[in-house]
Amino acid sequence: MTELSRIRNFSIVAHIDHGKSTLADRLIQATGGLTSREMKDQVLDSMEIERERGITIKAQTVRLEYKAADGETYILNLMDTPGHVDFAYEVSRCLAACEGALLVVDASQGVEAQTLANVYQAIDAGLEIVPVLNKVDLPAAEPDRIRQQIEDVIGLDASDAIPISAKTGLNIDAVLEAVVTRLPAPKGDATAPLKALLIDSWYDAYLGVVVLVRIIDGELRKGQKIRMMASGAAYQVERAGFFTPKQVLIDSLGPGEVGFITAAIKEVADTHVGDTITDDRKPADEALPGFKPAQQVVFCGLFPVDAARFEDLRNALAKLHLNDASFTYEMETSAALGFGFRCGFLGLLHLEIIEERLQREFDLDLIATAPSVIYRIHLTDGTMLELHNPADMPEVTKIEKIEEPWIRATIFVPDEYLGSVLKLCQDRRGEQIELTYAGSRAMVVYRLPLNEVVFDFYDRLKSVSRGYASFDYHLEGYHEGDLVKMSILVNEEPVDALSMIVNRQRSETRGRAMCEKLKELIPRHLFKIPIQAAIGGKVIARETISALRKDVTAKCYGGDVTRKRKLLDKQKEGKKKMRQFGKVDIPQEAFIAALKMDQD
């Protein structure tokens, strides 16, 4: 068992693309965790999709051995965290298992929205923070200005921030020394009953569920019988070890150490993140505080393009759920799209990644319906419903009020784009809370309704600010809104997959845009097709697709006009009949394009 004073647990926090994973690579290399032959870029980003997009999705842990300047050998447990707002819960889990954090700031771009969000999370968790200025080798780097900015915006003393280049390996030794000298050692009692925090769990095809733990008190040994305090389930530990990033097996883990165990656990759902693991025979008195469960904020329907592959989709979702318990799914049916699943996600990027993994890893062609958020519907009889799918909305007469989720958004933007960003927020029903300056960049804080943000707010923000704005948000609560359900009718038949909940003031523009879009996308039939957007029984927008005409008079080459008239009248009668029984074929592409419609 390692002496507590020689252990350091720390994580790396930063905004997206500020170099967290690259710095982790250099630290692994500098301490000899991997040989130069085994080394590759972003070694901790193990998923193919992470490497391709250049983002971290799952937090990863690695144990390094470092011989410090004082001649002692230290054990460093490093956690590389994601930077994207959708995966903020991954960051909070890592911070709970650490005593310190390296705050990485890009020396050319400075403090961004996510930098703030993550560093405040670390400060709230009571962590010691060491600022690191990355990318100082770039010609645009301004370390002195960024030091000042860290002090002004975050309020951290950055006079001894370490200038490094994670790409070239400049000053990496100084970072390791700072981890040893400036971050505190963990506290813990080896003789107390076992208390371990469950940080993460994932499914391995050979070992079953692998559980990542941080030991607070006591000792976790191979062969020991353990109990999960939240679920009450008991298991026998089969193997224990740590990652260097390779798996290394050991007999026991002591206080302050971070490692993994396997115990013949069948499903990831049985291991609740934030749970406390204790000894079955001599349990701890009380559980650790744990984490708030991951909250799904965006919901959408996923349907297979080929209805025969519904079972494949069910199996694929079950397999993905083994590794990512933060998304939920339940079956639903739609008249237009057939059988599918209603899935809940942490945000739009999370939705995109799950969708991409389903298409890649399981070779499925999918249609996703428009993303929606959870609305709270208060009925006149005093009950409250949570509405995930606009198609399930109860009758208007039974509804007393509808509440929608609001967020608090922090946006950093260069001064010259401030006007267009403020206009975008105003257009999305935003309420400005504050506007402050850090150098030439403005920091705007807005309250916004989440359903205005989930669709394409992030894309619009990037385009109005030429990609310079950074954005972070957290949920603030529910507020009453003037919301209505807008149905789309094609040939007087409602199309459930296209119904949506909108703000009453904006319903007409939304409805008109949707009808115009569908008019372009639905092919012409032999009869006229009306496309309508309606709220209840009131039609608020309409477009008509004109009929295709067969030229029935082509065979008349002269003679009396009555011959032509007779043929045209006959055609008219036939059209009338068709109109009555006519069914409209809406091609799948039309659905997809209508659902992806830029709602501006």
Side-chain angles (χ1 to χ4, degrees), residues 51-92:
R51 309 185 69 78
E52 212 164 274
R53 285 174 173 242
I55 56 173
T56 302
I57 296 167
K58 289 292 287 178
Q60 299 281 4
T61 321
V62 59
R63 171 159 160 166
L64 311 170
E65 281 193 12
Y66 172 62
K67 199 167 173 49
D70 59 7
E72 297 283 357
T73 301
Y74 289 86
I75 298 285
L76 312 180
N77 289 310
L78 149 72
M79 300 197 187
D80 178 24
T81 61
H84 203 280
V85 59
D86 283 14
F87 307 114
Y89 79 104
E90 288 270 348
V91 181
S92 69

Side-chain angles (χ1 to χ4, degrees), residues 233-423:
Y235 300 100
Q236 182 110 13
V237 178
E238 290 178 349
R239 43 200 289 174
F242 54 82
F243 296 104
T244 68
K246 293 182 290 218
Q247 274 193 20
V248 176
L249 296 178
I250 50 173
D251 290 333
S252 70
L253 290 163
E257 292 192 287
V258 176
F260 71 88
I261 56 163
T262 62
I265 305 169
K266 299 281 183 295
E267 286 194 14
V268 173
D270 302 337
T271 55
H272 300 287
V273 166
D275 198 352
T276 306
I277 297 175
T278 187
D279 192 333
D280 191 42
R281 291 187 189 83
K282 200 172 78 169
D285 305 332
E286 55 181 46
L288 297 161
F291 319 110
K292 293 197 294 261
Q295 202 77 50
Q296 283 84 29
V297 290
V298 177
F299 284 81
C300 89
L302 291 178
F303 296 87
V305 169
D306 174 6
R309 298 205 61 189
F310 170 73
E311 278 304 321
D312 297 349
L313 175 60
R314 186 204 296 267
N315 297 338
L317 284 169
K319 280 180 185 161
L320 277 190
H321 197 261
L322 279 177
N323 264 348
D324 184 354
S326 55
F327 85 94
T328 55
Y329 66 99
E330 55 188 40
M331 216 183 112
E332 73 166 351
T333 56
S334 149
L337 301 170
F339 288 100
F341 290 92
R342 188 97 198 145
C343 304
F345 305 94
L346 301 168
L348 279 189
L349 179 74
H350 191 208
L351 181 156
E352 222 177 283
I353 279 160
I354 295 283
E355 204 182 329
E356 197 167 322
R357 286 184 68 186
L358 286 168
Q359 287 168 347
R360 266 197 195 178
E361 295 170 27
F362 302 97
D363 195 25
L364 288 164
D365 278 342
L366 297 174
I367 297 173
T369 63
S372 71
V373 298
I374 304 177
Y375 297 95
R376 285 185 183 162
I377 296 186
H378 295 266
L379 302 175
T380 45
D381 62 3
T383 54
M384 187 197 79
L385 290 176
E386 285 204 337
L387 183 75
H388 296 192
N389 187 351
D392 302 336
M393 189 153 159
E395 287 173 32
V396 185
T397 48
K398 294 181 181 169
I399 297 173
E400 190 183 307
K401 61 175 182 181
I402 305 178
E403 292 181 327
E404 59 179 334
W406 281 65
I407 59 167
R408 187 187 177 95
T410 308
I411 301 170
F412 269 86
V413 61
D415 201 22
E416 61 263 38
Y417 306 115
L418 180 63
S420 45
V421 169
L422 293 179
K423 183 179 180 305

Side-chain angles (χ1 to χ4, degrees), residues 150-260:
I150 293 174
E151 290 182 10
D152 296 346
V153 179
I154 304 176
L156 276 180
D157 174 22
S159 54
D160 49 2
I162 308 164
I164 65 157
S165 165
K167 191 170 150 198
T168 62
L170 173 78
N171 257 355
I172 294 299
D173 290 344
V175 176
L176 287 164
E177 276 302 316
V179 167
V180 168
T181 54
R182 289 163 62 179
L183 297 182
K187 296 181 177 67
D189 180 359
T191 56
L194 170 67
K195 218 186 235 188
L197 176 69
L198 198 160
I199 310 168
D200 199 1
S201 55
W202 60 92
Y203 188 77
D204 182 290
Y206 302 106
L207 305 171
V209 177
V210 181
V211 179
L212 189 67
V213 290
R214 153 76 203 263
I215 315 293
I216 309 294
D217 290 326
E219 194 183 353
L220 185 57
R221 293 179 308 283
K222 202 168 136 181
Q224 182 179 14
K225 197 163 185 205
I226 54 166
R227 184 176 345 142
M228 310 277 181
M229 286 181 92
S231 60
Y235 300 100
Q236 182 110 13
V237 178
E238 290 178 349
R239 43 200 289 174
F242 54 82
F243 296 104
T244 68
K246 293 182 290 218
Q247 274 193 20
V248 176
L249 296 178
I250 50 173
D251 290 333
S252 70
L253 290 163
E257 292 192 287
V258 176
F260 71 88

Side-chain angles (χ1 to χ4, degrees), residues 366-554:
L366 297 174
I367 297 173
T369 63
S372 71
V373 298
I374 304 177
Y375 297 95
R376 285 185 183 162
I377 296 186
H378 295 266
L379 302 175
T380 45
D381 62 3
T383 54
M384 187 197 79
L385 290 176
E386 285 204 337
L387 183 75
H388 296 192
N389 187 351
D392 302 336
M393 189 153 159
E395 287 173 32
V396 185
T397 48
K398 294 181 181 169
I399 297 173
E400 190 183 307
K401 61 175 182 181
I402 305 178
E403 292 181 327
E404 59 179 334
W406 281 65
I407 59 167
R408 187 187 177 95
T410 308
I411 301 170
F412 269 86
V413 61
D415 201 22
E416 61 263 38
Y417 306 115
L418 180 63
S420 45
V421 169
L422 293 179
K423 183 179 180 305
L424 174 69
C425 293
Q426 270 340 112
D427 289 348
R428 298 296 169 103
R429 300 191 282 138
E431 297 169 8
Q432 189 175 324
I433 298 174
E434 60 177 287
L435 171 59
T436 49
Y437 274 88
S440 63
R441 293 167 76 216
M443 180 177 112
V444 198
V445 180
Y446 257 91
R447 281 180 63 236
L448 287 155
L450 182 63
N451 75 338
E452 299 284 351
V453 175
V454 298
F455 210 85
D456 59 348
F457 180 80
Y458 195 64
D459 298 345
R460 303 285 315 151
L461 179 69
K462 286 291 183 201
S463 60
V464 299
S465 67
R466 306 282 188 280
Y468 284 110
S470 66
F471 166 72
D472 176 75
Y473 70 86
H474 60 261
L475 282 174
E476 208 181 44
Y478 278 78
H479 299 285
E480 191 179 339
D482 186 10
L483 302 165
V484 289
K485 175 185 168 186
M486 184 174 80
S487 313
I488 301 290
L489 297 96
V490 175
N491 200 13
E492 291 160 18
E493 291 280 322
V495 181
D496 58 352
L498 296 178
S499 61
M500 57 174 87
I501 290 175
V502 291
N503 182 266
R504 198 186 294 274
Q505 270 74 48
R506 302 191 58 188
S507 60
E508 205 173 304
T509 43
R510 282 260 169 113
R512 191 167 292 137
M514 198 65 152
C515 290
E516 284 169 7
K517 191 83 180 164
L518 282 170
K519 185 182 177 182
E520 292 166 25
L521 295 167
I522 296 175
R524 288 163 69 189
H525 287 51
L526 288 169
F527 49 88
K528 253 199 299 203
I529 304 171
I531 299 170
Q532 296 157 311
I535 292 171
K538 184 184 173 197
V539 173
I540 54 168
R542 172 181 168 134
E543 291 287 336
T544 308
I545 300 174
S546 54
L548 270 178
R549 276 195 58 200
K550 183 182 172 197
D551 190 0
V552 286
T553 59

